[in-house]
Amino acid sequence: MIDEKGILFILSGPSGVGKGTVRKALFEQSTNLRYSISMTTRRPREGEVDGVDYFFKSRAEFERLIEQRQLIEHAEYVGNYYGTPKQYVEDTLNEGKDVFLEIEVQGALKVRENFPEGVFVFLIPPSLEELKDRIVNRGTETEDKVKNRLLAAKEEIEMMDAYDYVVVNDQVDHAVSKIQSIVASEHCKRERVSQQYKKALEADQHDA
Amino acid sequence: MIDEKGILFILSGPSGVGKGTVRKALFEQSTNLRYSISMTTRRPREGEVDGVDYFFKSRAEFERLIEQRQLIEHAEYVGNYYGTPKQYVEDTLNEGKDVFLEIEVQGALKVRENFPEGVFVFLIPPSLEELKDRIVNRGTETEDKVKNRLLAAKEEIEMMDAYDYVVVNDQVDHAVSKIQSIVASEHCKRERVSQQYKKALEADQHDA
């Protein structure tokens, strides 16, 4: 039996870009992706369900999991821990299913250390795309405003350098469709496909 | 003004795999791809139109174009020349539009020499995929039959190693949809996107 591992997809991007909205819209459509639910020590909000929105844990439990290296990454925001449980991601990938993470930029960099073979997608705001178009098309704007936006843009562009793909969140359905294309095309990558074929043939020879 | 060059996509694969059928179905759908029409010295068949199906040329004209290095690649089959005109491909890419070539395996390798930045897609027959599944799932078949199929499969797998993507032609609409995903995702590749942003920002600084 040949193991075909699933692919780990990571969606990240500057805060406020709309990662959560895009992720929710993606999972409302038909998809074979499995969403990896984050773990947190913050209290559930009205309507949030344990094991659906988050795995809700006590601080003591969370810290024990950190010590046991059971989290791929974790961070503390406003006094609460957030993290990605390792077991679910590894088990699901080993079952040959794709896993999808939606995560902050800092967390994504840590995931990259542990899963360099993951596919990292950077979501950018339409304002960055507009800025580029404006520069290209020589629009006029006050000099100070442009300077500030250029500085912010440079930071975002430097952040994207650690990623494999860049998706503009101009419209949620456009962004979702691009992510779906990335998922489909990653499954057609020659390295991945030919490796599977070669393994199948080798396994057959060894058994012959 | 920033030049955003188009992307060159090349569809190839073993003869008889259905490249032409997939290409036609792809262009029946809405697409921004421009199809690069081949040039040939064979006579037009009933219903074929010059400049639509092929550019039909005399042997003398074709040989002059070879001498002038105006073809990206060319080959002779059954006494007739077939080739890909360079001018159309370069002009269209420079206009920022994607170009699509459908071409034999030998021609594709020559295109790769001239356009290493092209995106090369290898179409494989479903029989190869079935063979892999059968090996993986331990199906039973006569030993000789399997041996012959394994030999043929190995050749096809070695051919695919020069390509970026592998698409199984199990159903024409599946193959078309995968090619469309590859086109969309290639436009999201970080190297490509971030280069465009960096160029836009640099151009602005130089003009400031």
Side-chain angles (χ1 to χ4, degrees), chain B residues 164-205:
Chain B
D164 302 300
Y165 294 96
V166 176
V167 168
V168 182
N169 189 17
D170 53 349
Q171 282 188 35
V172 173
D173 58 337
H174 289 178
V176 166
S177 149
K178 282 176 183 168
I179 293 169
Q180 286 174 322
S181 289
I182 290 167
V183 171
S185 79
E186 279 290 325
H187 279 277
C188 297
K189 278 265 183 86
R190 189 256 311 156
E191 307 90 87
R192 189 163 277 127
V193 178
S194 89
Q195 205 181 24
Q196 290 169 5
Y197 281 95
K198 282 173 187 166
K199 271 190 190 173
L201 294 185
E202 272 170 29
D204 189 73
Q205 279 180 322

Side-chain angles (χ1 to χ4, degrees), chain B residues 131-171:
Chain B
L131 179 65
K132 190 196 72 173
D133 290 346
R134 201 155 301 156
I135 292 169
V136 172
N137 298 314
R138 295 269 159 277
T140 50
E141 213 171 337
T142 69
E143 211 173 308
D144 268 11
K145 217 174 168 182
V146 170
K147 248 184 207 159
N148 283 336
R149 289 183 56 187
L150 282 174
L151 273 177
K154 267 173 200 157
E155 276 176 28
E156 280 169 0
I157 291 163
E158 272 164 32
M159 275 204 274
M160 77 170 75
D161 276 349
Y163 291 76
D164 302 300
Y165 294 96
V166 176
V167 168
V168 182
N169 189 17
D170 53 349
Q171 282 188 35

